């Protein structure tokens, strides 16, 4: 079963941050040419702008500081890309191992063998050690998964781990769900790679545009007539130094955005926050009946805050319903739909608990009341959720022979909802990254404005001398 049992007693006690630091240090070797390259670029600009000694020293000092941080962020980006590749490989193999072994510990041990070294090797080693040393297996598995999710903050990882915990606790046939999860993960991986590829193109083109803007400023300075030249003006030289240093800051921002684009951890809303938002929406709903004291004074700022919070809750529900429905589908292999919904309440997302409780109260009063499903989250008017509740209604009233087909359709619809949300997020990231095509023009425009101001001041000084 591998050699982790002999080495884990010492190796696994290292801090998570020490392990991450060790692996990032190994990837820093390719940055040794960065400082000479940036110094050469700075000296070229110092010569083109005819900077004085003080400004040259200031520029070189800023360049050395920038080279340090750029080297760090480049190493971090390579580390994140490697982690993205490793975690996707881990998720694929873990799901296959779960289908085969149906036990988390056995699945982790099989995946461990495929990572002979590296950060994933150390992480899996520590996870297996945590599971083996704890008497409470469920608690140990959650702790091990939490360690993996902190080291590899990928939004797909938590969903797969939660599903694996529920599968082991409740049993049932989950092969179809795992295969659907695997296909969804593959599409997510391709979308991230596509976004990063687009961002890389944007980074190259915007960096070239920034360099062009710098040399446009050089041409403007060099082509000015002697009488209007502000080449040696303090304002011009200060703005030119800032122009070059802001270029390094721009490179850092672009590299940081690319590094963080590989893995994004999904933030789940807590119980306290969910209760606060739902209570505010209930109180200040324009057509609602439940209003607290003073609600008659329908003030404009409450209306604005209401719609902001309403949109937040609506978006959270769109993400929460497919994950809750996954749990319901797993439970429906053993129980009827009402019992499955009741059991799912314990692990349901916080934002859905109130709506699920309302659904269950209606079903307890009349188990055959199909209108209870139609009223689920109806106030938020989410079409995908409405379609889901209609499918639950069909399963509730369907014949026994049709139940299996309806369940498969419900699971497929659930996965389509998750995939659509992921595609929407990827499209939004691509749209947001377009801003990097605009940033390079801003510093150049400011420097040009500085040139104009300096020229005007010089003209006034010349006219005053003549008078």
């Amino acid at each position: 079963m591998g050699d982790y049992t002999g080495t884990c007693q010492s190796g696994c006690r290292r801090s998570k941050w020490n392990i991450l630091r060790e692996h990032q240090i190994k990837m820093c070797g390719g940055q040794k040419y960065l400082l000479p390259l940036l110094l050469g670029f700075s000296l070229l600009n110092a010569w083109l702008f005819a900077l004085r000694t003080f400004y040259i020293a200031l520029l070189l000092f800023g360049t050395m500081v920038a080279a340090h941080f750029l080297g760090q962020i480049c190493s971090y980006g390579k580390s994140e890309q490697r982690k993205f590749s490793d975690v996707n490989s881990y998720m694929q193999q873990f799901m296959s191992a779960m289908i085969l072994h149906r036990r988390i510990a056995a699945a982790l041990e099989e995946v461990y063998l495929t990572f002979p070294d590296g950060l994933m090797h150390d992480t899996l080693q520590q996870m297996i050690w945590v599971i083996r040393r704890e008497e409470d297996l469920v608690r140990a598995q959650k702790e091990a998964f939490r360690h993996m999710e902190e080291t590899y903050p990928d939004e797909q990882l938590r969903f797969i781990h939660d599903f694996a915990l529920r599968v082991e606790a409740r049993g049932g046939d989950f092969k179809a769900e795992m295969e659907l999860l695997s296909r969804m993960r593959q599409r997510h991986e391709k979308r991230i790679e596509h976004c990063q590829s687009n961002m890389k193109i944007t980074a190259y083109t915007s960096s070239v545009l920034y360099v062009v803007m710098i040399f446009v400023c050089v041409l403007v300075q060099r082509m000015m007539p002697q009488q209007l030249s502000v080449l040696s003006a303090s304002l011009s030289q200060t703005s030119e130094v800032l122009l070059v240093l802001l270029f390094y800051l721009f490179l850092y921002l672009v590299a940081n955005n690319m590094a963080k684009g590989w893995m994004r951890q999904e933030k789940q809303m807590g119980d306290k926050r969910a209760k606060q938002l739902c209570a505010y929406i209930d109180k200040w709903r324009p057509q609602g009946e439940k209003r607290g004291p003073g609600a008659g004074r329908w003030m404009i700022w409450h209306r604005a805050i209401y719609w902001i919070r309403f949109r937040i809750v609506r978006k959270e529900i769109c993400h929460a319903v497919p994950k809750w429905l996954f749990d319901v589908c797993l439970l429906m292999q053993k129980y009827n739909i009402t019992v499955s919904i009741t059991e799912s309440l314990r692990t349901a997302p916080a934002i859905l608990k109130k709506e699920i409780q309302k659904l269950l109260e209606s079903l307890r009063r009349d188990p055959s009341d199909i209108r209870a499903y139609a009223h689920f989250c109806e106030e938020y008017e989410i079409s995908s959720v409405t379609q889901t509740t209609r499918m639950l209604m069909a399963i509730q009233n369907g014949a026994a022979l049709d139940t299996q087909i309806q369940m498969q359709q419900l699971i497929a619809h659930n996965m389509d909802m998750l995939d659509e949300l992921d595609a929407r997020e990827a499209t939004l990231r691509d749209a947001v990254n377009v801003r990097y095509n605009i940033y390079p023009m801003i510093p150049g425009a400011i420097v040009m404005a500085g040139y104009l101001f300096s020229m005007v001041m010089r003209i006034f000084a010349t006219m005053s001398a003549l008078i």
Side-chain angles (χ1 to χ4, degrees):
M1 184 26 250
D3 60 350
Y4 65 85
T5 54
T7 63
C8 215
Q9 293 297 324
S10 59
C12 288
R13 291 178 185 175
R14 288 179 295 165
S15 164
K16 178 191 73 170
W17 304 112
N18 289 338
I19 293 174
L20 286 169
R21 183 63 180 164
E22 289 173 10
H23 287 278
Q24 286 182 3
I25 288 173
K26 293 177 182 177
M27 306 191 73
C28 290
Q31 314 304 326
K32 59 183 179 179
Y33 300 112
L34 183 62
L35 179 59
L37 182 64
L38 295 185
L39 286 174
F41 182 76
S42 296
L43 290 172
L44 174 63
N45 282 278
W47 175 69
L48 291 173
F49 286 117
L51 296 180
R52 296 197 295 272
T53 305
F54 171 76
Y55 294 101
I56 294 175
L58 185 62
L59 179 59
L60 294 180
F61 175 75
T63 301
M64 288 188 287
V65 174
H68 170 73
F69 287 102
L70 280 171
Q72 284 190 335
I73 200 62
C74 289
S75 298
Y76 174 68
K78 290 183 178 179
S79 173
E80 289 295 289
Q81 185 175 6
R82 174 65 183 273
K83 285 165 64 177
F84 175 78
S85 175
D86 285 350
V87 77
N88 276 282
S89 178
Y90 159 79
M91 287 188 286
Q92 181 61 46
Q93 295 177 59
F94 177 75
M95 287 187 284
S96 300
M98 278 296 297
I99 294 173
L100 179 63
H101 298 290
R102 295 177 175 266
R103 290 291 179 269
I104 291 172
L108 288 175
E109 289 173 358
E110 180 171 317
V111 176
Y112 173 80
L113 296 176
T114 63
F115 290 92
D117 52 27
L119 180 59
M120 181 60 77
H121 169 88
D122 292 346
T123 305
L124 287 168
Q125 190 179 66
Q126 186 161 353
M127 291 172 69
I128 295 171
W129 179 68
V130 166
I131 292 174
R132 287 201 163 194
R133 69 171 181 167
E134 289 283 349
E135 295 182 0
D136 188 342
L137 181 60
V138 175
R139 179 182 175 184
Q141 289 171 345
K142 289 181 178 179
E143 183 181 346
F145 282 155
R146 184 165 55 251
H147 172 70
M148 168 71 79
E149 290 159 11
E150 289 175 356
T151 308
Y152 294 87
D154 186 271
E155 55 190 352
Q156 299 283 316
L157 189 60
R158 184 189 295 272
F159 189 28
I160 291 171
H161 283 168
D162 287 345
F163 185 70
L165 287 169
R166 294 169 189 174
V167 160
E168 182 160 324
R170 294 165 182 166
D173 183 13
F174 55 89
K175 183 178 180 180
E177 288 89 337
M178 278 291 187
E179 290 176 349
L180 287 170
L181 269 177
S182 179
R183 288 199 290 271
M184 186 181 74
R185 183 208 60 78
Q186 290 173 1
R187 288 193 290 269
H188 171 77
E189 181 182 6
K190 296 301 180 185
R191 287 193 189 104
I192 294 293
E193 290 175 347
H194 177 73
C195 286
Q196 291 296 94
S197 177
N198 287 344
M199 183 58 201
K200 186 178 291 187
I201 295 171
T202 300
Y204 288 148
T205 55
S206 58
S207 299
V208 170
L209 178 59
Y210 201 121
V211 172
V212 169
M213 292 298 297
I214 291 175
F215 285 103
V216 166
C217 293
V218 171
L219 288 175
V220 170
Q221 280 281 39
R222 294 290 182 174
M223 292 175 67
M224 284 184 188
Q226 185 66 31
Q227 296 80 3
L228 296 177
S229 176
V230 291
L231 191 63
S232 60
S234 297
L235 178 60
S236 297
Q237 300 226 331
T238 301
S239 61
E240 288 156 359
V241 169
L242 289 176
L243 179 65
V244 178
L245 293 181
L246 284 175
F247 175 59
Y248 300 144
L249 176 61
F250 174 75
L251 293 178
Y252 178 87
L253 293 175
V254 170
N256 185 57
N257 186 65
M258 289 186 63
K260 290 184 176 180
W262 288 110
M263 288 187 293
R264 298 173 183 268
Q265 187 172 18
E266 184 181 9
K267 296 180 180 179
Q268 295 183 346
M269 186 177 291
D271 287 338
K272 184 177 179 180
R273 176 65 172 165
K275 289 178 181 178
Q276 288 176 345
L277 291 176
C278 291
Y280 190 92
I281 288 172
D282 285 343
K283 179 179 178 180
W284 293 104
R285 187 181 299 116
Q287 70 278 16
E289 297 178 358
K290 295 181 180 180
R291 293 190 180 181
R297 295 172 296 174
W298 183 243
M299 296 170 287
I300 187 65
W301 50 85
H302 282 297
R303 184 186 295 271
I305 295 173
Y306 166 82
W307 285 112
I308 291 171
R309 295 189 174 184
F310 181 85
R311 297 287 296 179
I312 292 172
V313 172
R314 191 176 187 273
K315 182 178 179 182
E316 189 71 16
I317 288 174
C318 287
H319 285 84
V321 166
K323 298 175 182 180
W324 165 71
L325 192 63
F326 227 86
D327 197 21
V328 173
C329 292
L330 187 63
L331 287 163
M332 285 174 65
Q333 296 182 13
K334 299 172 63 177
Y335 309 111
N336 62 43
I337 188 168
T338 304
V339 176
S340 298
I341 294 173
T342 304
E343 288 293 318
S344 72
L345 183 60
R346 293 181 297 176
T347 56
I351 199 67
L352 285 180
K353 287 186 177 179
K354 182 179 178 181
E355 294 293 332
I356 296 172
Q357 288 171 347
K358 288 166 59 177
L359 172 61
L360 290 173
E361 287 172 5
S362 299
L363 292 176
R364 289 190 189 104
R365 288 194 298 267
D366 184 3
S368 62
D369 184 11
I370 61 173
R371 290 177 297 178
Y373 297 99
H375 295 325
F376 184 75
C377 296
E378 64 173 347
E379 64 190 83
Y380 298 100
E381 299 179 353
I382 306 172
S383 58
S384 57
V385 175
T386 303
Q387 293 173 12
T388 299
T389 54
R390 291 185 186 279
M391 296 178 81
L392 287 173
M393 290 162 56
I395 293 175
Q396 174 77 352
N397 296 326
L401 293 177
D402 298 330
T403 302
Q404 188 64 29
I405 297 175
Q406 290 171 342
M407 280 288 295
Q408 292 174 357
Q409 292 175 345
L410 180 60
I411 292 170
H413 170 71
N414 186 47
M415 299 306 299
D416 288 340
M417 288 173 63
L418 287 171
D419 197 52
E420 182 182 349
L421 289 171
D422 186 63
R424 195 178 304 165
E425 291 289 336
T427 303
L428 181 61
R429 285 197 293 269
D430 278 338
V432 170
N433 288 337
V434 174
R435 70 187 190 273
Y436 289 101
N437 290 322
I438 302 172
Y439 287 169
M441 294 183 284
I442 299 174
I446 294 173
V447 171
M448 292 292 187
Y451 289 165
L452 179 61
F453 179 78
S454 298
M455 288 171 62
V456 170
M457 294 300 294
R458 177 154 186 165
I459 291 171
F460 277 115
T462 304
M463 291 176 64
S464 298
L466 292 174
I467 293 173

